[in-house]
Amino acid sequence: MRSNCCGELRKENISSTVQLCGWVDRCRDHGGVIFIDLRDSSGTVQITVDPDQGNELFAIAESLRNETVVQVSGQVRARPAEASNQKIDTGDIEVLAKDLKVLNHVKGNLPFTVSIHDEESVREETRLKHRYLDLRRDKLSKNLRIRHKTIQAARNFLEKEGFIEIETPILTKSTPEGARDYLVPSRVSGGDWFALPQSPQLFKQLLMIGGMEKYYQVARCFRDEDLRADRQPEFTQLDIEMSFMEQEEIIAMNEKLIVSIWKTIKGIDLPTPFPRITWHESMERYGTDRPDIRYGIEICDVSKIFKNIGFKVFSNAISSGGSVKCITIPKGNSAISNVRIKPGGDIFSEAQKMGAGGLAFIRVRESNEIDTIGAIKDNLNIDQINALIKQTNAKEGDLLLFGAGDTKIVNRTLDRIRQFLAMELKYLPSQESINYWGFIWVVDFPMFDFNIDENRWEALHHPFCAPNNKDLGETPDEWQNRLPKARAQAYDLVLNGLELGGGSIRIHDAALQKQVLETIGLSTKEAHEQFGFLLDSLDMGAPPHGGIAFGLDRIVMLLTGSESIRETIAFPKTQQARCLMTEAPSEVSKQQMKEIHVASTWTNPK
RNA sequence: GGGACCGUAGUUCAACCGGUUAGAGCACCGCCCUGUCACGGCGGAAGUUGCGGGUUCGAAUCCCGUCGGUCCCGCCA
């Protein structure tokens, strides 16, 4: 149908006869001469329609509207010097139409403008309903191409490293821990259910036990949990697993993978090795296990200074087992008004959102004088002030913001305030700077976290992470006691405060695996019901292995500078996990439900 | 489960503190225009202000409910 693509035509093509297909991006009808910007996936080129080429041709050109699909035959020619357009790649030439055929019309109004010149933001609801039109627009079209190139870069790299791509089941077994499963009833085995995989975790381990040694997959994962800008009910992981490699080797290899992706997509050489931080240190300094390391404002634990202070908010926090911590905002006195950090202010509200009861502050003035609310000022002596200023390294003009209470909430709050103010006060490097990319490996995660509500330990990553041998003790007798407090051989790759991926060395010893499952409260019987196949396999020559999984949607989101992973997915769902285009999910017939032995208990609340 | 913001013409927005016939750009329709490139000019059509109820002499505007979208908390091994 076509001899060339629109966007590829250049001076070199002058005088050649071409046939093009595409969409009318825009028309400029001058009455005597008509210009058509013809667009295909490669770009746009100007088609010139001259009345000399015949009335029929001209009449068709006059009838064209935006997004009409046309086929044009014509000759490439140089534009008159004064009419060349350096703003577009094909601006030196134009195609003089000899024949023009409408392949498809547009009837009625389009829901929104498609043209590459139109950057007007359309309501997302409308874009999602007519996603096929949105895909035609510049931004999504580019994003999906970057997504493709990202996957290709990963495939190329992994191919060279000797990995093979293997698919794992989509219909699989429900897992007890973790997110809610999407369930699929079995017609053949009445009353039984499949689950869609939350990740290929167990299968990739079994592939290692199956001797594949180096596996990867662009794997679709499903989790029935509430959504966010960076969470969809179905998302894609770049899933990798390998045998006979230790944590350091795996980290080094994956770092090279990331470097090669950034080189391919951004054309930049990321400095290596990426910095490392232990989970513990990250929590101390940033209050989170996914720190944005591109700016300072680190968290300072000042509990010791305020242990015996008369200001009850602080002293009570400490005596009840919590902490008092603070962040120092350089020059914060002039940048941030009291209105914003007192009740009702935006910064105060951010703190409140994270569960903080309040947001205490101290302003450092000339010669270490301080300025704060009376309740704090009246209860602080000069030694405490000096200790505070020394520990926080605060200077005249700086603002100290405090969190006091349960340590988890204090950390969470100060992390949030830190990020909120970094954005607001423009501490972030520009997108063009190499420093924009704040990669960091977070290592030495704890194996478990104690769930107070359920009074039990739960796996921080998942229950297949291997513990650090140093924390285990010499003999299996010690495992039971030592395991809960052990560090895991687990690692997360964090970029700009977002978790890009995470992995671990897996347990390849059946006894240790049973002990870990027991620690999270699974009896031997339950463990066998849920993971019998894995436990069995570990006793049949399971190699040491480990791996990682990257959130592909998030990687592409960062590479494209998007605000949401929806901008990297061809057909995403809304926050209510609905597809506005197909209107899925939807009702099914009674007959369908009968066949799969399912009855609905849903009653409309009305 | 909870909090915040949003919903006005095909679309993007406007319409103060409730007050004539709800306006404008783009798109659409008609006419004019031979070098534009977000072409230009003249004219036109286009609205159940998401939906339902309430307050009021009077509601896009205020209140309640509801539906949908977004952001966030909880949740997401």
Side-chain angles (χ1 to χ4, degrees):
Chain A
M1 285 185 87
R2 60 182 172 188
S3 66
N4 293 77
C5 291
C6 299
E8 71 185 26
L9 296 176
R10 294 291 183 276
K11 279 179 189 162
E12 294 71 48
N13 303 91
I14 285 171
S15 82
S16 60
T17 300
V18 295
Q19 190 158 40
L20 304 172
C21 291
W23 289 264
V24 173
D25 192 77
R26 230 178 185 95
C27 290
R28 290 172 296 281
D29 184 347
H30 287 248
V33 62
I34 299 172
F35 301 107
I36 302 159
D37 290 339
L38 189 67
R39 185 191 72 237
D40 64 18
S41 62
S42 66
T44 63
V45 68
Q46 175 165 288
I47 310 295
T48 304
V49 182
D50 195 286
D52 299 345
Q53 302 295 323
N55 290 338
E56 199 186 332
L57 175 76
F58 201 76
I60 295 171
E62 277 183 314
S63 74
L64 294 179
R65 292 172 44 193
N66 294 350
E67 297 310 305
T68 305
V69 188
V70 295
Q71 182 182 46
V72 183
S73 305
Q75 196 166 34
V76 182
R77 68 179 188 188
R79 293 195 190 187
E82 71 279 7
S84 79
N85 186 347
Q86 298 311 311
K87 280 186 279 184
I88 52 177
D89 294 339
T90 58
D92 287 327
I93 54 98
E94 63 188 5
V95 175
L96 179 66
K98 306 275 187 190
D99 191 31
L100 187 57
K101 192 170 153 196
V102 173
L103 300 176
N104 211 343
H105 292 280
V106 172
K107 294 192 184 85
N109 270 317
L110 289 166
F112 51 85
T113 317
V114 174
S115 169
I116 55 163
H117 298 297
D118 188 87
E119 288 182 10
E120 204 163 49
S121 59
V122 179
R123 169 173 281 270
E124 189 163 9
E125 208 172 334
T126 313
R127 293 173 52 204
L128 288 172
K129 190 168 179 188
H130 304 277
R131 192 61 164 182
Y132 42 87
L133 275 186
D134 202 16
L135 289 171
R136 234 183 258 170
R137 293 180 8 136
D138 203 40
K139 188 168 127 198
L140 267 190
S141 148
K142 278 189 175 134
N143 285 1
L144 289 185
R145 282 163 216 283
I146 288 172
R147 185 184 176 110
H148 162 76
K149 279 188 180 161
T150 303
I151 295 172
Q152 282 309 116
R155 284 206 164 104
N156 288 342
F157 177 87
L158 292 165
E159 170 71 19
K160 281 188 195 135
E161 293 283 327
F163 283 77
I164 59 170
E165 185 168 10
I166 306 174
E167 289 152 282
T168 53
I170 294 295
L171 294 174
T172 181
K173 193 178 164 81
S174 178
T175 48
E177 275 210 62
R180 238 173 255 116
D181 285 319
Y182 275 99
L183 296 173
V184 180
S186 167
R187 175 182 59 84
V188 180
S189 303
D192 286 345
W193 299 75
F194 293 106
L196 305 183
Q198 296 180 21
S199 79
Q201 181 59 37
L202 290 173
F203 287 105
K204 66 173 171 175
Q205 289 189 236
L206 289 155
L207 286 170
M208 293 305 102
I209 296 162
M212 294 297 118
E213 294 193 16
K214 290 181 170 185
Y215 140 93
Y216 79 97
Q217 180 180 195
V218 180
R220 194 64 65 83
C221 306
F222 306 85
R223 294 178 190 175
D224 188 2
E225 293 294 344
D226 289 341
L227 308 183
R228 291 282 189 286
D230 61 352
R231 283 194 233 154
Q232 281 273 299
E234 50 179 316
F235 61 100
T236 305
Q237 284 186 346
L238 177 60
D239 195 46
I240 302 173
E241 194 81 1
M242 60 214 92
S243 299
F244 308 121
M245 280 174 88
E246 289 172 350
Q247 174 166 324
E248 283 306 317
E249 299 170 289
I250 294 177
I251 286 180
M253 195 214 78
N254 281 291
E255 205 164 285
K256 283 202 290 185
L257 165 65
I258 293 295
V259 165
S260 104
I261 290 174
W262 254 253
K263 179 73 178 173
T264 306
I265 306 298
K266 288 287 174 189
I268 58 177
D269 295 293
L270 293 173
T272 54
F274 295 162
R276 299 265 185 106
I277 192 170
T278 65
W279 177 87
H280 186 259
E281 190 183 351
S282 182
M283 296 306 290
E284 288 284 306
R285 288 170 58 190
Y286 301 101
T288 173
D289 58 3
R290 43 185 176 92
D292 192 335
I293 57 163
R294 294 174 295 170
Y295 45 89
I297 332 180
E298 292 183 17
I299 294 173
C300 198
D301 188 341
V302 291
S303 302
K304 279 182 188 154
I305 300 173
F306 294 122
K307 208 158 83 183
N308 298 315
I309 188 178
F311 181 52
K312 292 285 184 242
V313 174
F314 283 6
S315 52
N316 286 354
I318 297 160
S319 60
S320 58
S323 340
V324 178
K325 300 188 179 189
C326 73
I327 50 176
T328 306
I329 313 299
K331 305 268 183 284
N333 283 349
S334 47
I336 295 162
S337 68
N338 275 359
V339 177
R340 301 185 59 196
I341 48 185
K342 285 185 168 174
D346 60 333
I347 299 172
F348 185 93
S349 305
E350 286 298 315
Q352 237 176 359
K353 267 191 211 166
M354 305 311 288
L359 184 68
F361 66 91
I362 292 179
R363 294 180 183 277
V364 182
R365 303 292 191 195
E366 206 176 341
S367 2
N368 288 357
E369 286 286 309
I370 61 159
D371 187 1
T372 176
I373 58 169
I376 298 178
K377 196 166 187 178
D378 298 345
N379 283 301
L380 272 184
N381 62 44
I382 188 71
D383 291 339
Q384 287 168 322
I385 295 173
N386 287 338
L388 179 68
I389 286 175
K390 191 177 172 207
Q391 199 190 334
T392 58
N393 205 19
K395 306 276 186 297
E396 177 186 337
D398 292 355
L399 168 67
L400 304 177
L401 294 173
F402 293 81
D406 175 72
T407 304
K408 270 188 188 172
I409 291 177
V410 168
N411 283 341
R412 214 161 69 185
T413 305
L414 292 180
D415 168 44
R416 173 74 161 236
I417 301 290
R418 182 177 172 266
Q419 296 197 54
F420 184 80
L421 290 178
M423 194 82 81
E424 147 109 18
L425 300 174
K426 306 219 167 18
Y427 288 151
L428 298 177
S430 84
Q431 288 213 27
E432 286 67 41
S433 160
I434 189 92
N435 297 323
Y436 179 78
W437 307 104
F439 283 97
I440 186 167
W441 288 102
V442 181
V443 297
D444 289 348
F445 279 76
M447 284 287 285
F448 306 99
D449 190 26
F450 195 75
N451 185 325
I452 295 171
D453 298 334
E454 296 179 25
N455 192 37
R456 65 180 189 97
W457 293 99
E458 54 190 17
L460 204 71
H461 269 88
H462 53 62
F464 314 104
C465 294
N468 189 316
N469 294 328
K470 290 177 195 150
D471 298 347
L472 264 196
E474 297 299 318
T475 64
D477 307 343
E478 299 173 70
W479 289 357
Q480 193 173 350
N481 289 330
R482 287 186 174 234
L483 252 182
K485 294 289 175 62
R487 290 169 296 168
Q489 297 186 60
Y491 33 84
D492 273 5
L493 181 61
V494 170
L495 170 56
N496 299 353
L498 272 179
E499 184 194 328
L500 272 201
S504 64
I505 300 297
R506 324 299 182 187
I507 297 167
H508 65 280
D509 177 275
L512 182 57
Q513 183 64 73
K514 278 179 204 159
Q515 187 63 55
V516 168
L517 292 173
E518 197 173 296
T519 305
I520 59 169
L522 276 187
S523 67
T524 309
K525 184 166 167 281
E526 288 169 317
H528 266 277
E529 277 168 16
Q530 297 296 337
F531 305 115
F533 58 101
L534 177 73
L535 295 172
D536 289 347
S537 75
L538 293 178
D539 273 331
M540 299 191 204
H545 63 283
I548 196 164
F550 292 104
L552 182 75
D553 314 279
R554 285 184 190 169
I555 290 180
V556 179
M557 174 175 101
L558 288 158
L559 284 171
T560 56
S562 304
E563 297 283 328
S564 152
I565 62 170
R566 292 188 301 278
E567 303 299 322
T568 74
I569 296 171
F571 299 102
K573 296 188 172 50
T574 68
Q575 197 164 43
Q576 296 306 309
R578 304 191 61 88
C579 172
L580 295 183
M581 188 180 68
T582 62
E583 296 187 317
S586 56
E587 287 186 359
V588 296
S589 71
K590 290 218 167 67
Q591 178 60 26
Q592 281 175 295
M593 291 178 66
K594 198 178 163 195
E595 277 178 355
I596 56 173
H597 323 289
V598 166
S600 175
T601 60
W602 169 254
T603 47
N604 196 318
K606 273 185 276 184

